Amino acid sequence: MKKTDTIIFTHGDSDGVCSGAIAKSAYPDARVYFTSPVSLHNRLDMAEDYDNIIICDIAVDERSCVNLYNKINDIASRADVTYIDHHPLPRMCWDEPWFYHDLNTCAAELTYKVFKSRLERDIRRIAVYGAIGDYKDNTPAIKKWTRDWDKRSLYFQAGTLIQALQYVGRNYDFKREITDPLSTDLIPSEIPNLIPYAKKASRIEEELRIRVKELVHPLHSIAYVLDPEGYLSKSAIYAASYGRKGIGIAAEHRNNKAAYDLSLRSRNSSVDINLLLRDIAPQYGGSGGGHPMAAGARIPEEKLDAFLQEFDRRVNLAETKQGDL
């Protein structure tokens, strides 16, 4: 039997954790669970007995979007639903009162705005952490909110949280443990284990940076690294840096999937890697998507090289067209 009327589903990265903490600050007795775009449909079975369902920072998976839409609409007929997201949508539009969507903010900022009437003003600080973690700290609201604190302290606290979450990976039990104190506006450096975990993550990242510098493979317009033995997203950043290219890709082999998981990071604002991935990945039996400058994909192992060559060709083509304007 449930002890609360509210259940929160959110993503496990820093923006998702901050979004979940903000939603929990609005509903202190809520239960928080971490999930992903491909798992959300099944996860929603857990919400059957709840009167209030909140979903934060979960991208809409293109392959299951129709079924997910129908399922949420069914739930919304008997319960309150709030779905908050900032990822690019599939080729469809969800025009429902329960769906809050803004491509120009992080999910944490949007979550604060949705539940503002239920929140203390200082909870905006958690939204700032989420924005820093999601590279969305340049929006008008975040720049305005940042002025209420020492910016250097905000970045220290955000960095502590981001690095610690990177270190614990998919340890969702730990992430649930830190969501409670974070929702009360306890600064990350005072939450048990975050400082030592952040320090360990930073040491691993420095070793990773040096490794990627040695292993990076530059192509014409992208640079990639295979099996960097470390954080994929950070590996992609360093691949772009040391490959001297606008886009970096880090690929890690998954033996049980016979595929590579990819993280892509862009320094080239003229190329939307989300749109490119959604177009190219299915041609090679894979899937992918995300944001214009940060995305992920899964590509079958035997198709990886061909995918990388085609992605490089398409990026080069997009850059050439942009240069002709």
Side-chain angles (χ1 to χ4, degrees), residues 297-309:
R298 174 168 288 173
I299 305 296
E301 57 188 8
E302 71 277 7
K303 300 290 184 65
L304 179 66
D305 185 64
F307 166 83
L308 291 170
Q309 295 296 328

Side-chain angles (χ1 to χ4, degrees), residues 104-269:
N104 299 311
T105 73
C106 69
E109 177 185 336
L110 189 54
T111 302
Y112 179 86
K113 290 177 176 177
V114 170
F115 296 123
K116 181 179 178 180
S117 64
R118 302 180 62 95
L119 295 168
E120 295 291 335
R121 191 169 183 268
D122 282 350
I123 295 301
R124 294 177 307 165
R125 180 162 61 172
I126 305 173
V128 176
Y129 301 156
I132 293 171
D134 219 51
Y135 301 103
K136 287 286 187 178
D137 53 327
N138 202 35
T139 67
I142 294 298
K143 288 195 291 187
K144 179 180 178 181
W145 297 347
T146 299
R147 292 199 296 263
D148 286 343
W149 290 275
D150 184 329
K151 186 175 183 178
R152 296 165 298 182
S153 296
L154 284 174
Y155 274 79
F156 170 71
Q157 297 297 338
T160 297
L161 178 64
I162 293 161
Q163 292 293 85
L165 290 173
Q166 185 87 65
Y167 180 76
V168 301
R170 297 179 182 177
N171 185 345
Y172 298 129
D173 289 336
F174 177 78
K175 292 181 179 183
R176 266 191 293 274
E177 289 176 10
I178 69 171
T179 302
D180 282 348
L182 191 61
S183 72
T184 66
D185 196 30
L186 185 66
I187 56 176
S189 60
E190 290 299 310
I191 298 176
N193 292 319
L194 285 197
I195 287 286
Y197 284 170
K199 184 177 179 180
K200 290 178 180 179
S202 296
R203 183 182 302 117
I204 292 171
E205 180 181 344
E206 182 64 5
E207 295 169 353
L208 175 67
R209 179 188 66 82
I210 296 169
R211 196 156 54 246
V212 171
K213 183 178 181 179
E214 297 172 350
L215 298 175
V216 67
H217 297 278
L219 298 180
H220 191 284
S221 295
I222 69 171
Y224 70 92
V225 61
L226 299 180
D227 294 317
E229 299 179 11
Y231 310 128
L232 276 189
S233 61
K234 293 179 183 291
S235 298
I237 292 170
Y238 291 127
S241 173
Y242 287 112
R244 302 293 191 269
K245 304 297 178 182
I247 295 172
I249 300 178
E252 186 173 66
H253 188 250
R254 299 283 189 253
N255 290 323
N256 60 331
K257 301 289 185 180
Y260 280 88
D261 280 353
L262 277 60
S263 179
L264 296 86
R265 293 295 184 270
S266 176
R267 307 188 292 181
N268 185 347
S269 60

Side-chain angles (χ1 to χ4, degrees), residues 276 279-280 283 310-319:
L276 276 184
D279 181 34
I280 300 171
Q283 299 176 28
E310 176 62 12
F311 195 84
D312 181 61
R313 186 187 73 81
R314 290 285 296 275
V315 170
N316 182 39
L317 182 63
E319 290 174 338

Side-chain angles (χ1 to χ4, degrees), residues 8-67:
I8 299 168
F9 298 102
T10 192
H11 194 213
D13 66 358
S14 56
D15 188 27
V17 170
C18 289
S19 300
I22 292 169
K24 187 171 177 61
S25 186
Y27 296 92
D29 294 329
R31 290 181 176 176
V32 179
Y33 294 92
F34 294 95
T35 188
S36 66
V38 295
S39 302
L40 178 60
H41 188 278
N42 291 333
R43 273 287 201 179
L44 285 172
D45 291 339
M46 299 171 59
E48 184 176 345
D49 295 328
Y50 288 83
D51 300 321
N52 188 28
I53 297 93
I54 300 170
I55 304 165
C56 301
D57 196 32
I58 306 295
V60 178
D61 181 56
E62 192 158 14
R63 293 166 296 180
S64 60
C65 60
V66 174
N67 290 336

